[in-house]
Amino acid sequence: MEMTRQDQNVETARYQKDIAVRLGLDPQNLIFNYKQKNETVRLDLVTVNSKHDQSFLFHSIIGTDKIDALKKMLEYIDQYYHNESSLTIQWIKIGENKLHTSYFRANNMYDALDKFYYGRDMGSYKIFSITLNPVS
């Protein structure tokens, strides 16, 4: 039986809520960016840090449709996210003088920088340090 548009919307909302719960975040601090390309959907999950009013890429995943991408994002969170390295980036926005600290999970520092710069102009930010956090 094929899902109706209403069923898909309800299912999408349920998965999005599940993702917020598993990450321990308020749903309003998550942005689900969907991009349709040919026969696939790319989901870019973005987190919003209300402390310094910035958003960062959490993870990107490809699915056959929105629901498949959301299921794969949940699988990533459950199986892989906590196995990635924890990194700290200290940075400022050019023209401001407040040093910010942001935390990322990534395979390496290049992945962390990709997450940091997602949707931003690289020339507008200055990175002061990237630190691999110790494993506890």
Side-chain angles (χ1 to χ4, degrees):
M1 181 169 92
E2 193 171 315
M3 269 195 198
T4 66
R5 166 84 90 196
Q6 178 69 21
D7 292 340
Q8 289 174 346
N9 289 339
V10 170
E11 190 82 350
T12 298
R14 186 175 65 79
Y15 280 118
Q16 289 179 350
K17 182 180 177 196
D18 286 350
I19 287 169
V21 167
R22 293 209 188 144
L23 292 175
L25 295 173
D26 187 321
Q28 68 187 26
N29 289 338
L30 290 175
I31 299 168
F32 295 83
N33 287 331
Y34 299 97
K35 295 177 185 122
Q36 181 81 40
K37 187 174 182 183
N38 300 326
E39 300 298 314
T40 62
V41 171
R42 176 184 167 132
L43 167 57
D44 293 338
L45 181 57
V46 176
T47 58
V48 177
N49 185 317
S50 55
K51 189 175 187 178
H52 44 67
D53 292 326
Q54 295 289 318
S55 62
F56 300 105
L57 179 65
F58 174 78
H59 188 68
S60 294
I61 208 141
I62 306 272
T64 55
D65 57 26
K66 280 184 180 181
I67 292 171
D68 182 56
L70 287 164
K71 287 178 183 177
K72 288 179 177 177
M73 187 65 73
L74 278 168
E75 180 181 318
Y76 163 77
I77 293 166
D78 290 341
Q79 296 182 11
Y80 304 105
Y81 171 67
H82 295 289
N83 294 325
E84 291 183 333
S85 297
S86 172
L87 295 106
T88 300
I89 297 179
Q90 290 192 305
W91 58 276
I92 64 166
K93 188 170 183 179
I94 302 295
E96 297 177 5
N97 59 5
K98 182 165 175 38
L99 181 67
H100 299 283
T101 301
S102 298
Y103 303 94
F104 296 86
R105 288 245 180 217
N107 289 320
N108 56 54
M109 71 178 189
Y110 299 108
D111 288 345
L113 285 169
D114 285 344
K115 290 179 177 190
F116 177 87
Y117 282 117
Y118 174 81
R120 319 188 134 72
D121 173 19
M122 290 178 78
S124 297
Y125 296 86
K126 183 180 240 178
I127 303 292
F128 285 94
S129 69
I130 303 172
T131 305
L132 178 61
N133 300 322
V135 178
S136 57

